[in-house]
Structures are given as C-alpha cells and as structure tokens.
Amino acid sequence: MDNLNDAKPTVMKFGGTSVKDAEAFVRVAAIVKSERENSPVVVTSAMSKFTDALLQAFELAKKGDSETAFESLSPHFERHIEVAQELTNETQQKDFQIELDFAKKELNDLLMRTSRRSLPLSMLKDAIVSYGEQLSSRLLAEVLKAKGLNARQMDARRLIVTDDEYGAAHPIWDETEKLVRLELQPLITADEIPILGGFIAASRGGETTVLGRGGSDYSAALVGAALRAREIQIWTDVTGVLTCDPRICPEARTLKTLSYEEAAELAYFGAKVLHPKTIKPAVDYKIPVRVCNSHQPNEKGTMILAETNIVPNTIKSIAHKTGITILRISSARMLGAFGFMSALFQIFERYRVVIDVISTSEVSVALTLDNTDSLEQVVKELERLGDVETEHENAVVCVVGEGLRATSGLASKIFSTIEDIPISLISHGASSVNITFVIKEDKVAEAIKKLHSAFFKENRKKT
Ligand code: ADP
Ligand code: ASP
Ligand code: MG
C-alpha cells in the first residue's frame, strides 16, 4: 500500500437505517471497502430506533420507573448481539458482550439516578442517549475487522469538545480541530480506519454531551473539516437530496447538485436528510459533501458544492417543517417608534428561543417558533409590549433554488399554484435563494403535492 501520509481522507457517515441490522452492516462494510484507497474515516449513528428508545427510557425513569425503563431497552441490546453473532468471530463476540455488559450496568445506574434525580437531568439525558453511538461504533469496528479491514473504534467524546448546553451542545472549533488531527492523523497515516460514533461529544469538563437530534451529520462535517477531507459522504436510505420529502411525493427526484446555500436552507427548514449545521464546517473549508444511498451505492446521489449553475425560472426543492407555532404581536406603540424590535428580540434572547420566520407591518409583528418549551413565559413578557395571539399547528414550507435570485415570476407562480390555501406569513429576502411561507399543518401535504407537480413535471431535465 502507498504511503498515505499526505492522503486526504474521505469521511463516510452512516445514518441509523444504514446500520439497522446485520444485512445493513454487511452493506456498510462493502461500501467502506470500496473506498479503501481513499483513507476512509467512518462516522456512524446509533442503530435505527435505539436513540428514540433511549430517550423514552429516560422519560420513564424521570417518572420514577427506572426498572421498566431499563427493561424496555433489552430488545435493542439483543439487536446488537444478533449482529455480532452473525458477522464476527467468537473472540470478538465475547469482547463485544463484555463491552455491552458494561454499557448495560452503566445505563441501569444512570436510569436509577434519573428517577432519584441525583444529578442534573439534562446531564443524565445526554449520558444515557450517548450509548446508541457508543455501541454502534464499537460493533461496526468489530464487523469491519471481521471483514478484513484494519478498523479501530475511537471515542468521539475524546475528539469533539463542546460547551455544556446539554441536548444540543455547540462545538468549540479550535480545540476540536486540534484533537481530531492529533488522534486521527496517526491512524490514517498507519493505514488504519478510525470508526467514530456521531452525535456524541464531551464538554471541557469531560461530561458527555450531544449535538442535537440528527447530529451525526454534524460530527462528520466537523471531522471532515478538521482533516481537510477530500469529500464528506452522508450515507442514508434515499438516493441523495430529493425534490421534496419522498414520504409526501413518492415521485420526488434526486438532485444532481445543490449549492451550499440551497442545502443549508433545505436542511434548516425540515429536509431531514441533512442536519442543518452540517454544511457550515464543510463550507468553511470548501469540502464537497455527497449524499448517497447505502442500499444503492453505485448511484451518484447529490453533490453539494460551493456553487452550482443557476438555471433561471427553476426551483430545486421544497422542504417543510410541521409543529410550528405563530405568535402575532400588535401594538400601536410600534408606529414610528424605535427600540420596539430590540425590546421584542431581547425577550426571545433571554429565553433562548429561536425564531424561524418573521414578518412585520406597521403595527404588528408575526413570527414562528418550532420550540415551545418557554412559550408561556415568553408570551407573558410579550404582553407588556402589546396584544399577543398564539396559533398552533402550523407548518413552514420553504421553496429553494438559486434560480429564485432575481426571478420575480416564480413567486407569483408559487402562490397561484396554491391560491386556495390560506397563507399566514411570507418571507423572501432580496438576494435570497428561498421563498418561505406558513400555512396550516393539515394543508401541508396538499400544498407540497401541488407545488411539486407544478414545478417538477415541466422542468424534468433542468435540475
Ligand atoms: P439517517 O438516519 O440516514 O440520518 P434521516 O432519517 O435523518 O436518515 O434522513 C433521511 C430521510 O429524510 C429520508 O428517508 C426521507 O424520508 C427524509 N427526507 C425529507 N426530505 C427529504 C429530501 N428533500 N430529500 C431526501 N430525503 C428527505
Ligand atoms: N442517533 C442520533 C439521532 O437519532 C443522531 C443521528 O442519528 O444523527 O438523532
Ligand atoms: Mg439524519
């Protein structure tokens, strides 16, 4: 084998469905093997449904029933054992069993602490949910070794350093970059394949943290950026980024290319295929991101590049996010007064509530939130500024495409296509690559189907 000293690695991230059972692990092994010459660095999610199960166990324990909580996890422990039995040798199986027994003991202890509330709950929650990736990465390393690859599990919590905002911690870039290089570069040079759990990290104090739901994509991007990878590959269960959510329109098509900006808008507004923050580290170092299908590894998927060709009068994709709450604040004080907006934003800042879409008129502001954890307190404070109306069960629809820049006719086509669906808010920045609007949740499937057939039937070859 050539000296890989200066090789730029390929970071390959496998999502939960790509490691859901023994068959899926076999597919992953073949995909990693095919990338062997490009110094792969593997990032894996938890086996599908395990993260949800761990979160449910945490909720049960919080209510006091840590025993049932622990028992609810046993089918998932079994799934790991089945993969080990099917795909690794006896010594490996024994080693994995020891690792799993440790994990079970620790999880049991953490769940008991949760019911007794003997540590801060947010800290316990992250520690519990991290076992999904801790176990999948160990199992994947064993499977790859059994398939003749020189794989080695690395604990991502030693590489990715974050603040201590549990649940969705923020990476500290300089420290993460240094550690990733220090720990992974020697392995790459020695022709080993590092296997990391995505999503999990640790604070400076060494406590386990996580990067937010779907955060393994983000881990892959951070590792890829730190290593200046030649490419970051996001392996999932669909062929790339599609023209819309395939669960709404099964006829959705794969996009060949997407610009970073388009991809970021889509991810932010609900295209689950990419974690919203994935794009940022890749953009900073101009690293191409490819989204591919682990069931059909020979299809090219979608390349996300710094820039793509602008095709006027076309859109690329339609994303949506449900469970959105609208707040309307109206006040005569707004008329000609300065300082009103700043007072308004300060309230959201104080409660760390993120606003997605906002639109203002002379006497009112309407905005959307997808996290209503602190809604009650926020509304109470907003009432000091004016009258507040709250409207639940809305959805944000986001139409994305570089072609929207300076193509005014598209907006009218979008809105005439769904003219019989009432729209509450619209947002479209001057040089923006998206038009975003808010409708009732129960209208979202109808709106997307209409838009999809209006825009993608006639532009079949342009994307
Ligand atoms: P993974 O477990 O691999 O991270 P996710 O479930 O997070 O996978 O993301 C993949 C899913 O995203 C697909 O199965 C699909 O249902 C959904 N999805 C929503 N919008 C899109 C889109 N525009 N393109 C591709 N997939 C999408
Ligand atoms: N396992 C985590 C989740 O389900 C992270 C990920 O899969 O990206 O959210
Ligand atoms: Mg995902």
Side-chain angles (χ1 to χ4, degrees):
M1 170 103 346
D2 293 341
N3 183 357
L4 293 174
N5 233 340
D6 299 312
K8 283 182 152 196
T10 303
V11 173
M12 313 176 79
K13 177 260 170 176
F14 294 91
T17 47
S18 300
V19 289
K20 69 170 195 258
D21 54 20
E23 245 175 81
F25 273 78
V26 171
R27 280 194 293 268
V28 171
I31 293 167
V32 174
K33 213 170 207 170
S34 71
E35 198 66 23
R36 187 66 206 91
E37 300 303 313
N38 287 324
S39 311
V41 172
V42 175
V43 176
T44 180
S45 290
M47 288 178 79
S48 68
K49 304 204 175 91
F50 192 28
T51 304
D52 288 340
L54 287 161
L55 289 171
Q56 274 162 18
F58 167 80
E59 292 301 328
L60 264 177
K62 207 166 84 178
K63 289 186 192 132
D65 195 354
S66 61
E67 231 171 273
T68 315
F70 183 67
E71 277 163 23
S72 71
L73 298 174
S74 58
H76 297 280
F77 298 139
E78 267 317 300
R79 290 169 63 206
H80 288 79
I81 294 290
E82 278 164 23
V83 174
Q85 282 174 345
E86 215 168 299
L87 303 177
T88 66
N89 68 34
E90 258 174 53
T91 321
Q92 288 181 301
Q93 285 170 33
K94 275 194 197 124
D95 289 349
F96 184 72
Q97 185 68 55
I98 294 170
E99 175 90 12
L100 184 67
D101 289 342
F102 266 124
K104 281 161 87 168
K105 211 166 143 283
E106 286 161 3
L107 270 169
N108 199 13
D109 181 56
L110 289 164
L111 289 165
M112 279 190 319
R113 281 174 183 276
T114 303
S115 55
R116 281 191 258 116
R117 293 171 192 242
S118 66
L119 279 172
L121 285 176
S122 55
M123 186 190 260
L124 287 164
K125 189 176 180 180
D126 282 15
I128 288 170
V129 78
S130 74
Y131 281 87
E133 274 74 8
Q134 287 192 52
L135 288 172
S136 64
S137 55
R138 174 62 194 260
L139 186 55
L140 182 57
E142 294 303 334
V143 170
L144 295 183
K145 274 189 252 177
K147 299 271 176 204
L149 290 161
N150 200 6
R152 172 149 18 147
Q153 184 204 20
M154 295 293 286
D155 190 339
R157 295 172 302 170
R158 278 176 35 209
L159 309 182
I160 298 181
V161 187
T162 67
D163 61 11
D164 53 10
E165 184 124 343
Y166 294 104
H170 304 102
I172 299 167
W173 172 245
D174 293 350
E175 292 173 36
T176 300
E177 182 185 36
K178 221 183 278 165
L179 283 172
V180 168
R181 288 168 163 231
L182 194 74
E183 297 279 344
L184 298 189
Q185 203 61 59
L187 299 191
I188 297 166
T189 307
D191 203 14
E192 287 192 75
I193 304 177
I195 315 294
L196 316 174
F199 179 55
I200 60 178
S203 65
R204 279 185 175 139
E207 294 299 336
T208 300
T209 55
V210 298
L211 302 178
R213 289 308 304 268
S216 295
D217 298 341
Y218 195 16
S219 305
L222 290 164
V223 170
L227 296 172
R228 313 291 188 264
R230 53 177 283 282
E231 186 170 293
I232 297 165
Q233 299 175 350
I234 306 289
W235 291 88
T236 184
D237 61 346
V238 288
T239 305
V241 180
L242 306 171
T243 46
C244 80
D245 187 337
R247 286 165 297 190
I248 291 195
C249 299
E251 69 277 20
R253 294 182 285 120
T254 297
L255 299 167
K256 283 200 189 82
T257 61
L258 208 59
S259 71
Y260 284 127
E261 210 178 327
E262 290 170 333
E265 294 291 351
L266 282 177
Y268 188 74
F269 285 108
K272 199 182 160 211
V273 69
L274 278 181
H275 186 285
K277 292 176 192 156
T278 314
I279 298 302
K280 180 73 174 61
V283 177
D284 291 346
Y285 294 96
K286 298 204 165 21
I287 298 169
V289 176
R290 186 197 293 273
V291 182
C292 0
N293 189 345
S294 63
H295 297 262
Q296 283 162 332
N298 295 328
E299 292 195 4
K300 287 208 170 64
T302 303
M303 277 306 274
I304 299 167
L305 302 163
E307 279 154 24
T308 64
N309 294 340
I310 298 181
V311 184
N313 289 312
T314 57
I315 65 170
K316 284 278 183 72
S317 186
I318 309 160
H320 73 283
K321 191 152 81 171
T322 51
I324 299 292
T325 298
I326 303 179
L327 287 182
R328 286 178 213 284
I329 305 103
S330 45
S331 167
R333 271 179 56 196
M334 259 184 92
L335 258 179
F338 54 82
F340 182 89
M341 282 295 180
S342 145
L344 185 100
F345 287 132
Q346 272 173 29
I347 295 171
F348 290 95
E349 197 179 327
R350 213 169 314 133
Y351 290 95
R352 305 183 73 80
V353 173
V354 179
I355 299 169
D356 284 339
V357 186
I358 181 159
S359 92
T360 63
S361 72
E362 293 220 9
V363 287
S364 77
V365 181
L367 44 85
T368 69
L369 318 171
D370 74 347
N371 182 343
T372 49
D373 287 350
S374 317
L375 187 64
E376 220 175 293
Q377 295 100 304
V378 168
V379 168
K380 212 176 261 170
E381 295 223 16
L382 287 173
E383 277 167 349
R384 292 203 209 127
L385 297 180
D387 296 331
V388 184
E389 268 174 62
T390 312
E391 218 185 278
H392 297 290
E393 292 171 8
N394 287 281
V396 177
V397 177
C398 178
V399 179
V400 172
E402 295 277 358
L404 283 167
R405 288 191 208 270
T407 330
S408 54
L410 278 182
S412 70
K413 180 166 172 187
I414 290 170
F415 295 117
S416 63
T417 305
I418 51 164
E419 63 190 355
D420 43 353
I421 298 176
I423 295 171
S424 359
L425 251 83
I426 299 175
S427 139
H428 175 49
S431 69
S432 164
V433 301
N434 74 83
I435 290 182
T436 301
F437 55 89
V438 182
I439 57 179
K440 279 280 166 213
E441 210 170 65
D442 57 4
K443 293 281 179 204
V444 78
E446 179 190 340
I448 288 177
K449 281 185 183 139
K450 282 187 171 157
L451 288 169
H452 196 268
S453 68
F455 282 93
F456 294 107
K457 273 202 180 123
E458 44 191 84
N459 290 321
R460 220 156 250 295
K461 290 194 189 72
K462 290 188 183 165
T463 51

